[in-house]
Amino acid sequence: DRPTRPWLGVFSAETHGDVVVTSVAENGPAAKAGMRRGDVISDVRDTAVEGLADFYRKLWVSGPPGAEVPIRIVRDGRETWLRVKSADRGSFLKKPTVQ
């Protein structure tokens, strides 16, 4: 019975200490904010990200689902900030139909 964590719809991996976006869920919060495969996530809310576990810890304490999460990414050697409005992951899952 823990509170729902914020979800971005981004799948990522850690490579040499960098958090690299490997995939973005179609129509998810990250896709709507412009995040793309290959982006490197460097900061969450003005705090440097130091690996994949650190990224998720910073995301989960950034507020409830629906909170806007500022994320700095590096794309093609250029840094930019994206404002990603997090969501409740459950709202994106297919619900079973009642027969």
Side-chain angles (χ1 to χ4, degrees), residues 8-78:
L8 302 181
V10 66
F11 306 96
S12 53
E14 185 173 336
T15 305
H16 306 292
D18 290 334
V19 177
V20 180
V21 176
T22 58
S23 180
V24 179
E26 188 176 326
N27 297 319
K32 290 177 183 175
M35 198 172 288
R36 297 187 213 154
R37 182 177 189 255
D39 288 347
V40 175
I41 299 171
S42 64
D43 293 72
V44 173
R45 292 196 180 275
D46 291 324
T47 307
V49 170
E50 298 175 11
L52 192 58
D54 187 51
F55 165 63
Y56 282 106
R57 278 192 297 271
K58 286 180 167 96
L59 171 63
W60 292 337
V61 299
S62 66
E68 189 175 81
V69 183
I71 296 177
R72 184 190 328 236
I73 61 162
V74 179
R75 180 185 295 156
D76 299 325
R78 301 177 91 172

